[in-house]
Amino acid sequence: MRVAAEQQNPAKMAGRMMQAARCPTDELSLTNCAVINEKDVQIGQYVTVKTNPPHKYVFTVRFHQSMPPGSIGFSLPQRKWAGISIGQDVEVTSYNFDKAKQCVGAMTVEIDFLQKKNVDSSPYDTDKMAAEFIQHFNSQAFSKGQQLVFSYCDKLFGIVIKDIEGMDSSILKGDASTGKKQKIEIGLLLGNSQVIFEKAESSSVQLIGKAKTRESRQSIINPDWNFERMGIGGLDKEFSDIFRRAFASRVFPTDIVEQMGCKHVKGILLFGPPGCGKTLMARQIGTMLNAREPKVVNGPEILNKYVGESEANIRKLFADAEDEQKRLGANSGLHIIIFDEIDAICKQRGSMAGSTGVHDTVVNQLLSKIDGVEQLNNILVIGMTNRPDLIDDALLRPGRLEVKMEIGLPDEHGRVQILNIHTAKMRDFNLLATDVNVKELAAETKNFSGAELEGLVRAAQSTAMNRHIKASNTVEVDMEKAEKLQVSRDDFLASLENDIKPAFGTHQEDYASYIMNDIIRWGDPVTAVLDDGTLLVQQTKNSDRTPLVSVLLEGPPHSGKTALAAKIAEDSQFPFIKICSPDKMIGHSEIAKCQAIKKIFEDAYKSQLSCIVVDDIERLLDYVPIGPRFSNLVLQALLVLLKKPPPHGRKLLIVGTTSRKAVLQEMEMLDAFSTKIHVPNISQGEQLVEALEMLGSFQEKERAVIAKEVKGKRVWIGIKKLLMLIEMSLQMHAEYRVSKFLSLLREEGALDSDLHMRI
């Protein structure tokens, strides 16, 4: 804060010009002092620094031999506050405090984490923080608006001085306080000064204790709230968003809220995949708030076979809130009602064919209670569902369940939090081996939900305990070894491989069968296809402009399109990889097939990075050349899904395969793909010999005979068909294998000196 030094300090000495410089060490930067050389000792303990334009700022001085004479060092927050640049000439003048008027009685400071990446949810005791602040900055000068850095509990906090009250002069004389409080611009912090902390707006720092002001009004929020202790991990952002929307108005004094004409949010809808913490979050919101005990009800429990009973059950849930609002009005406490599986009772009205209308009247009753003619302002309804698309639209409008929050799969940081929560007890009792790295496990558990991570920990515990069980005629526990039980890294990895698989993750067995023989790089065409696939994977990962990338691998039958598509998907290392294959839809009706394909895409949208292989598209479409016939319903579904971009922040790679490019062209499906890649057959004798060498099926002499036979001739065979012919030939006696192989090639029409005339 700029000051009029002439008024504050009439006894100041004549100023001298000094050059502004950086603070010489990080340790000195945390002292909040300006640093000068010991040779400039004629400058007093406190100085006024006059900048150009002529503003004046008061600093406490500290001497250090590393600062050149004639220079004065400032930390970055000091330079930012005073507008001082490196190398700038400033006028430095000694400053004397009037201790009768300029001692700090109470100082209010605004606090936030200095670096957002170091944010945590641990509560900080403001009483202890204030004591350390006074000890660290005792006898220092502070100005209103000043910025500084404060180190506490190995964390760096940014501090802004919001307000300074002068100390009652009668206290300094040893007399009783007169109660007079005077605002001052500059003050000297003393050992008996009071420091009051307020958290900065939008800050996530959690303050407890008495040395805080703004927090004391937030009586609705439980001061002992802690994410990890409540068993919640990976949902920090979701809690922050819910708090901003649903509780910001509830922490303000009721008179201010009424003056603004503000209405509280009455409903929250939590939706997302199973096992991601919707029910846990809803229950813990009740714990977080100093509110009535939440009423938790499962949706189906509301329904009753007797006429009117279902509606009466809804009314009973709101009866206590209605009664309290009538008695206490705006001072009524908050009543929380939690509906699990809310889609069971709140389906779209009129959507249930043959229904007696019970569901419709239940929805009507719930709508009228949340936001009807007689409005309740002391309720918070929390609904949870996996199917938000089934819920009646009227329930989702503002004034009802207006805050819609997706509780998605946790990211890597969230998985670290969740695993730490579920292994905390083992760590406390030394039952977790030192080789268990939670960050490594989090990296390996892509697309695991919170429930699946908990299941992984349980599976690892079971694996560890099983080592100490003697299974003979009877089942006994080896007590000597059991006392030394520890859950190791190998237990987690074994459980990860054998026991727990993510519902929305990559199932390697789905695509492993397609590349069980690996990729045979018989020539440049195969390498080119894989290189193009790698580029498309990188585009999907890195490009924000194209969150949806689709590629069609087309070529003749048996050319290895499916294997190449599976290889591109495997090499992508995406957390969600799914193969949409016709072999899993045998016997499905058109509608069932459309729903199965749609579900694969909807599951993919729940992951940050996803890859879908749509294999053998003409088979999915039920295409046959006789007629020709195909399923138009499935075609239209695929056309829509291939062009539909994933939700914001999600990315999707689609790899399609077909042997009927011309048919897809007629169906106008080729244009639905971003790009097309041709997968050719083996067409040269040299490529055939290269494939045989890579497979290593024939001996070198045998390959030489085959090479001589195919030299100068055209071949035309897919790698998949070639593998089949090789395996058939290998069943023969050694001396007949080559001749059998060559005859099979000719029988298949794959080897012919005049083949080029037919192609």
Side-chain angles (χ1 to χ4, degrees), residues 534-546 574 609 651:
T534 302
L535 287 175
L536 292 168
V537 168
Q538 293 302 319
Q539 178 184 345
T540 308
K541 283 182 180 178
N542 302 326
S543 174
D544 293 327
R545 295 184 177 181
T546 54
F574 283 4
L609 278 172
K651 296 184 177 183

Side-chain angles (χ1 to χ4, degrees), residues 451-487:
E452 287 162 347
L453 290 170
E454 184 181 3
L456 174 65
V457 174
R458 283 201 303 268
Q461 292 167 340
S462 300
T463 304
M465 287 188 286
N466 194 55
R467 289 199 304 269
H468 304 295
I469 294 177
K470 301 175 185 175
S472 53
N473 294 332
T474 59
V475 177
E476 298 178 359
V477 177
D478 188 341
M479 294 306 297
E480 292 183 7
K481 293 183 179 179
E483 292 178 357
K484 301 177 182 178
L485 171 70
Q486 279 198 324
V487 182

Side-chain angles (χ1 to χ4, degrees), residues 327-391:
R327 289 187 292 105
L328 303 177
N331 294 320
S332 169
L334 180 63
H335 293 254
I336 301 174
I337 303 170
I338 299 173
F339 286 94
D340 202 2
E341 307 299 341
I342 194 172
D343 54 284
I345 59 170
C346 293
K347 286 186 171 65
Q348 293 278 355
R349 286 170 289 182
S351 64
M352 301 190 65
S355 170
T356 58
V358 172
H359 280 86
D360 292 359
T361 55
V362 170
V363 175
N364 293 337
Q365 182 69 78
L366 186 59
L367 294 176
S368 65
K369 283 297 177 185
I370 297 176
D371 189 31
V373 176
E374 295 182 3
Q375 292 186 343
L376 292 172
N377 215 25
N378 62 342
I379 59 166
L380 179 65
V381 177
I382 303 174
M384 293 166 290
T385 180
N386 301 326
R387 298 291 305 276
D389 53 302
L390 297 180
I391 296 177

Side-chain angles (χ1 to χ4, degrees), residues 123-136 150-153 195 197 208-212:
Y124 290 91
D125 190 332
T126 51
D127 299 320
K128 296 178 180 177
M129 196 182 289
E132 188 161 332
F133 186 96
I134 292 172
Q135 182 180 357
H136 193 70
F150 174 45
S151 175
Y152 179 75
C153 291
V195 179
F197 289 89
I208 60 173
K210 298 177 181 178
K212 64 185 193 303

Side-chain angles (χ1 to χ4, degrees), residues 683-699:
S683 59
Q684 298 175 14
E686 293 79 4
Q687 294 173 342
L688 177 63
V689 174
E690 180 71 21
L692 293 176
E693 287 184 9
M694 295 191 70
L695 288 166
S697 301
F698 292 103
Q699 296 178 2

